[in-house]
Each structure stands twice: as structure tokens, then as C-alpha cells.
């Protein structure tokens, strides 16, 4: 700070400081005039602070050098690495379209070694990045630079996908089609979308991000990601996936070349293994205030181990949600029954009675097909709806419980003070929705999804 003050005082002495209290030029101004100079006049200003900080972060993990390597040998009149940095800086500081970002980089901020750019250069830079990303070369260079910088050990690799939609009338068609209709995770099946996949380390450092067609099935993604990363030579890696990726084919593929997995298992689909895990006796080990786990060995499972997890907080939430759903169903069924009885007690023509019955049937169909309430409803032979009490009782056994499967023969390598295989991140990711919102995969996926829609 003393150096800055000295510099300011020197500038004031040389160029003049302005007017004194009487409105006359002070002594410093007079000295400046005699020296042939004039007071400083600000003609323009641009922001630099945030860009300067991002510039250091950009160079430290070798992003700049990786992109320059890809651009070498190409006839670009503009430094594409600088253009890409300008686009990234714009996304971080003030997200805009490509056209607005080009104006922002040339007029509002100072991008080192980039005087001006236009939207055409922005799109060319994006094309360069897409070509490089096809082989994952930039991602690989950046990851290993970060791994060396932070001394990362890639023993656990978390992977998940999300989807993001685009506000457009129709999906793309043809060989280059990318934004297509699919099962949207944000409930917008009416709009074209893409699928985004993200793999991160235990510390939340991204390893690989990829995009797929909007109608891509989640089950087909893990094998492709594993193949893409074979050349990275990460060593022995345990891949952590949720219930959406735990098909037998995917888990077998993950185990190729000595790999292992920790996978969330589908419990409500039933199955002999799940029933065995629920009925097998054993003592739980407390690993958190609200979380306890126990290891279960099942017949016919080979070398796969199973971990039963019980979350007491989620157990209360499951019970509360089920009670609310049952109460709502009972009210709806009672209303339909009362209306039908009221109509039956009145003298109506055949046509009016048929019309009234059609209304009741539509109400029952809407309740039967409700996305969240239908699981608790059973339709009798006469078409009437009742609450499936057997299903309710069966669901009570699953309150707050989640089942993990792992092929890892020994305890997962985790930092001291954390449980071995039942890492809180692993158990949470395969369990409750509320804690998942804080998981690095989910946070990054939401950021990527929001940015992509802009």
C-alpha cells in the first residue's frame, strides 16, 4: 500500500493535482505546466480485476498451453486461445451471447493480448475446442496439471448425468442432429434436449465432461466414458454410480482392466438379492448422526459385497410423504364415492346418468395415472380404485434404506476419520434426494445445465 501511495504522490507532483480551495491552479499544476506537461485527464476505463484473476487461474492448470497446442499449425489470424479465454471470462463475469461477448471483450474489459474480436472468431474458437474435445485432449491435459498441482489421487470417480433443454420449436434432424427429444430430467419432454455427463474425483475436481444426443439412454454412457479414459492410465479406479447406471452389463464393463465399482441398487423393483439383503440379520455401524451401515454377504452374488444403509432423517421423510399421499388418495376416493352416491339418489335420465358416470370414471383414471399417487393405488375387477395396503406395508420396510453393491474386495481408500466403504458421499449419492443437492456432481451438473440454456 505504501508503494501505491508513493506512486500516486509522484504522479500528482509531476502532472499536477488540480485546483486549490480558491479555484486557482495549485503549485503542482503550475510546476507541471512549466515542465511542459498537463494534468491527467481520464478519457476511458475498462474493468481488469476479475479478468486478471481468471487469467492466473486459466494458466495455472495448463488450459492455455493445451489449447495453444491444438491451435498450432492452423492458419488463424487471431489468437484462438485468447478468444476462448475471453468467452470463458465472459461466462464467469457477465454471461452473454457470443455476439454480446465479443463486444464485451473489446469494449468493457481488458483481455491481455486481445485487442478486439467478433462473433465469427468466437464460433471458430468453439469449433476448435469441439474438435480437440472429441479426443478429450484438452480435458486430459488440464486434469493431469490439476492433479499434479493438488496432488490428487484418483481412487474414487463419481459419475452422473443430467439433461438440459432448449427453447426451440422442433428437434434437429439429419446426420448432424444433436438436440433431440428424450426423457427430460427436468420434466420438459416437449422440448429438444441434450444429455450431459460429468465424472469427478472425491474432492469434486472434474475429470471428464461429455455431451450426448437428447435421446441417449443413461445405460449406454458409462461404457463409453470408460473407453474414452483408458488412455489416461489413471490406475486402479473405483467408479461410483447411482441406480440409473447399475445394470449388470454396465457393472461388468466397469470391472474390465481391474476396475471396480460402487453402485446404488434398485430396491423397489424387488428381486431375490434385494429381498435377501433386507432379511439378512446383522449389526449396523453408526457412521454419522443420521446414518448407519452394515455389510451383507448374499448367496449367489460371487465376490460382490452389499452395504445396507439406513438414514434416520430420510426414514422420517419417507414416512411423512407416504402418509400425505395416502391422506390425499383417501380424500379423492371419498369425494368420488360421495358424488357417485349423490347422483345415484337422484332421478336422472339415462343419458344424464351416463354422462355423470363418465365424469367419475375420468376422475378415477386421472387418480390412477397420477405420476406420484398411482404407486399406492390398486384397481379392482369392477374398475373401482382402492388403496393398495400390501404395497404400503411393503414400502414401510424400505423407509430410509438404500442398498449399495461393490466389487472392491477391500475397504475403499478414504481419508482418515471417514468410514471405509460407507463414505457419506457415496451413501448419500445413492440415497436421499435432499443431500444429493449438495453433492459436487449435482452442483456442477446444475451449473452446466443452466449455462447451456443461456
Amino acid at each position: 500500500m505504501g508503494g501505491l501511495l508513493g506512486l500516486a504522490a509522484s504522479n500528482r507532483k509531476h502532472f499536477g493535482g488540480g485546483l486549490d480551495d480558491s479555484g486557482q491552479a495549485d503549485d503542482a499544476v503550475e510546476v507541471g505546466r512549466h515542465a511542459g506537461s498537463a494534468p491527467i485527464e481520464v478519457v476511458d476505463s475498462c474493468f481488469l480485476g476479475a479478468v486478471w484473476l481468471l487469467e492466473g487461474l486459466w494458466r495455472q492448470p495448463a488450459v492455455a498451453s493445451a489449447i495453444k497446442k491444438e491451435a498450432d499449425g492452423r492458419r488463424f489470424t487471431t489468437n484462438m486461445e485468447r478468444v476462448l479465454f475471453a468467452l470463458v471470462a465472459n461466462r464467469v463475469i457477465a454471461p452473454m451471447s457470443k455476439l454480446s461477448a465479443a463486444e464485451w471483450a473489446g469494449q468493457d474489459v481488458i483481455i491481455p493480448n486481445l485487442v478486439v474480436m467478433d462473433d465469427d472468431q468466437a464460433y471458430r474458437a468453439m469449433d476448435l475446442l469441439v474438435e480437440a474435445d472429441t479426443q478429450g485432449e484438452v480435458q486430459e491435459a488440464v486434469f493431469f496439471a490439476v492433479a499434479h498441482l493438488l496432488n490428487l489421487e484418483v481412487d474414487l470417480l463419481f459419475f452422473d448425468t443430467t439433461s438440459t433443454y432448449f427453447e426451440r420449436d422442433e428437434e434437429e434432424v439429419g446426420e448432424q442432429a444433436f438436440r433431440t427429444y428424450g426423457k427430460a430430467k427436468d420434466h420438459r419432454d416437449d422440448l429438444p434436449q441434450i444429455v450431459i455427463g460429468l465424472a469427478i474425483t472425491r474432492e469434486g475436481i472434474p475429470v471428464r465432461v461429455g455431451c450426448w444426443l437428447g435421446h441417449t439412454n443413461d445405460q449406454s454412457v458409462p461404457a463409453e466414458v470408460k473407453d474414452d479414459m483408458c488412455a489416461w492410465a489413471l490406475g486402479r479406479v473405483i467408479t461410483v454410480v447411482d441406480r440409473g447406471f447399475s445394470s449388470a452389463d454396465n457393472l461388468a464393463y466397469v470391472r474390465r482392466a481391474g476396475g471396480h465399482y460402487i453402485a446404488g441398487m434398485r430396491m423397489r423393483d424387488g428381486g431375490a438379492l434385494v429381498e435377501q439383503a433386507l432379511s439378512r440379520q446383522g449389526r449396523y455401524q453408526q457412521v454419522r448422526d443420521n446414518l448407519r451401515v452394515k455389510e451383507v454377504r448374499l448367496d449367489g452374488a460371487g465376490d460382490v459385497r452389499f452395504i445396507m444403509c439406513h438414514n434416520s432423517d430420510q426414514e422420517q421423510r419417507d414416512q411423512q410423504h407416504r402418509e400425505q399421499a395416502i391422506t390425499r388418495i383417501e380424500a379423492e376416493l371419498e369425494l368420488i364415492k360421495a358424488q357417485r352416491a349423490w347422483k345415484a339418489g337422484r332421478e336422472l335420465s339415462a343419458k344424464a346418468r351416463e354422462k355423470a358416470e363418465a365424469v367419475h370414471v375420468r376422475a378415477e383414471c386421472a387418480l390412477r395415472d397420477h405420476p406420484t399417487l398411482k404407486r399406492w393405488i390398486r384397481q379392482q375387477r369392477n374398475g373401482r380404485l382402492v388403496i393398495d395396503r400390501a404395497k404400503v406395508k411393503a414400502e414401510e420396510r424400505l423407509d430410509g434404506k438404500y442398498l449399495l453393491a461393490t466389487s472392491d474386495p477391500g475397504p475403499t481408500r478414504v481419508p482418515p476419520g471417514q468410514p471405509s466403504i460407507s463414505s457419506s458421499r457415496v451413501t448419500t449419492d445413492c440415497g436421499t434426494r435432499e443431500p444429493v443437492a449438495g453433492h459436487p456432481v449435482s452442483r456442477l451438473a446444475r451449473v452446466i445445465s443452466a449455462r447451456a440454456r443461456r
Side-chain angles (χ1 to χ4, degrees):
M1 180 60 70
L4 292 176
L5 293 176
L7 177 61
S10 177
N11 288 336
R12 179 184 174 89
K13 180 178 180 180
H14 180 71
F15 293 103
L19 304 179
D20 58 18
D21 296 337
S22 62
Q24 301 295 324
D26 61 13
D27 294 339
V29 172
E30 294 297 335
V31 171
R33 287 175 179 175
H34 287 295
S37 60
I40 294 177
E41 179 182 357
V42 178
V43 296
D44 194 10
S45 64
C46 294
F47 291 103
L48 178 62
V51 174
W52 190 263
L53 173 63
L54 292 172
E55 175 78 12
L57 297 176
W58 176 265
R59 295 187 179 280
Q60 196 169 29
V63 178
S65 58
I67 294 176
K68 285 180 178 178
K69 180 180 178 182
E70 293 300 321
D72 285 346
R74 307 198 184 197
R75 296 180 179 179
F76 291 120
T77 57
T78 304
N79 188 338
M80 290 293 106
E81 181 270 329
R82 291 288 81 196
V83 174
L84 284 172
F85 170 73
L87 293 176
V88 172
N90 175 258
R91 283 287 178 177
V92 174
I93 300 172
M96 302 174 184
S97 66
K98 300 293 185 297
L99 177 60
S100 299
E103 297 176 354
W104 174 84
Q107 300 176 11
D108 297 340
V109 296
I110 296 176
I111 304 295
N113 300 320
L114 181 66
V115 179
V116 67
M117 61 175 280
D118 55 34
D119 55 323
D120 289 336
Q121 293 169 338
Y123 285 113
R124 282 197 294 271
M126 294 295 293
D127 290 340
L128 170 67
L129 189 60
V130 169
E131 293 176 11
D133 187 61
T134 301
Q135 304 298 328
E137 295 172 352
V138 174
Q139 295 185 49
E140 180 180 1
V142 172
F143 170 73
F144 279 107
V146 173
H148 177 73
L149 180 67
L150 302 181
N151 194 25
L152 295 181
E153 181 182 3
V154 188
D155 54 353
L156 281 179
L157 196 65
F158 292 83
F159 180 77
D160 201 359
T161 62
T162 186
S163 62
T164 186
Y165 61 86
F166 297 85
E167 297 283 356
R168 52 182 291 141
D169 295 334
E170 299 292 339
E171 66 176 354
E172 296 177 341
V173 296
E175 296 181 358
Q176 301 297 325
F178 196 67
R179 293 174 288 187
T180 60
Y181 293 123
K183 184 60 179 177
K185 297 185 178 181
D186 39 15
H187 311 294
R188 291 305 305 267
D189 295 352
D190 58 318
L191 293 174
Q193 66 170 18
I194 62 172
V195 175
I196 303 172
L198 184 67
I200 67 171
T201 65
R202 180 203 310 277
E203 294 80 5
I205 303 298
V207 178
R208 189 71 191 271
V209 60
C211 297
W212 292 267
L213 300 179
H215 58 264
T216 301
N217 190 329
D218 281 352
Q219 296 292 344
S220 64
V221 174
E224 183 178 342
V225 173
K226 180 176 177 60
D227 289 342
D228 290 344
M229 297 181 62
C230 281
W232 289 30
L234 294 177
R236 181 178 178 273
V237 175
I238 301 176
T239 304
V240 183
V241 294
D242 65 15
R243 293 165 292 184
F245 304 94
S246 57
S247 67
D249 291 341
N250 271 340
L251 298 185
Y253 204 93
V254 169
R255 296 193 67 175
R256 292 186 177 185
H260 289 286
Y261 63 80
I262 300 175
M265 306 301 293
R266 296 183 182 274
M267 299 191 65
R268 286 182 172 84
D269 293 345
L273 291 179
V274 173
E275 188 60 33
Q276 284 187 57
L278 289 172
S279 59
R280 193 63 55 91
Q281 299 296 319
R283 179 174 296 181
Y284 281 99
Q285 298 181 17
Q286 198 77 26
V287 296
R288 269 190 174 187
D289 293 340
N290 64 338
L291 181 65
R292 55 180 187 159
V293 301
K294 67 176 179 180
E295 182 174 346
V296 179
R297 293 284 185 174
L298 302 182
D299 299 334
D303 59 350
V304 177
R305 298 187 295 148
F306 292 86
I307 311 297
M308 181 65 70
C309 309
H310 177 252
N311 187 320
S312 57
D313 292 342
Q314 184 62 27
E315 180 182 17
Q316 297 178 4
R317 286 192 289 267
D318 290 342
Q319 182 178 0
Q320 181 181 3
H321 292 165
R322 184 174 58 253
E323 291 175 350
Q324 292 174 349
I326 298 301
T327 300
R328 180 178 172 183
I329 294 172
E330 290 175 340
E332 294 287 346
L333 293 178
E334 187 63 31
L335 178 60
I336 294 174
K337 180 180 179 181
Q339 290 178 343
R340 182 175 277 121
W342 180 74
K343 293 289 185 181
R346 298 184 61 188
E347 293 184 2
L348 300 174
S349 64
K351 185 176 181 180
R353 190 173 299 279
E354 181 180 354
K355 184 177 180 180
E357 182 61 22
V359 173
H360 302 324
V361 171
R362 284 197 299 270
E364 288 177 323
C365 290
L367 186 60
R368 181 196 61 193
D369 298 333
H370 192 279
T372 58
L373 300 180
K374 64 182 181 181
R375 60 190 296 192
W376 313 110
I377 298 173
R378 177 172 58 86
Q379 190 170 21
Q380 298 176 319
R381 291 184 177 181
N382 61 1
R384 298 294 181 264
L385 302 181
V386 296
I387 296 177
D388 192 343
R389 297 296 176 180
K391 182 66 176 295
V392 173
K393 186 175 181 180
E395 287 284 333
E396 291 177 355
R397 299 178 63 198
L398 305 180
D399 286 350
K401 293 180 181 178
Y402 316 100
L403 184 63
L404 303 179
T406 178
S407 62
D408 184 23
T412 303
R413 300 185 300 277
V414 296
Q418 294 188 15
S420 59
I421 192 65
S422 54
S423 170
S424 59
R425 258 184 207 168
V426 176
T427 55
T428 300
D429 187 52
C430 299
T432 65
R433 290 187 176 182
E434 285 77 4
V436 161
H439 193 277
V441 168
S442 299
R443 289 199 303 269
L444 284 172
R446 285 200 303 273
V447 170
I448 292 173
S449 178
R451 296 294 194 195
R453 281 200 291 270
R454 292 176 180 176

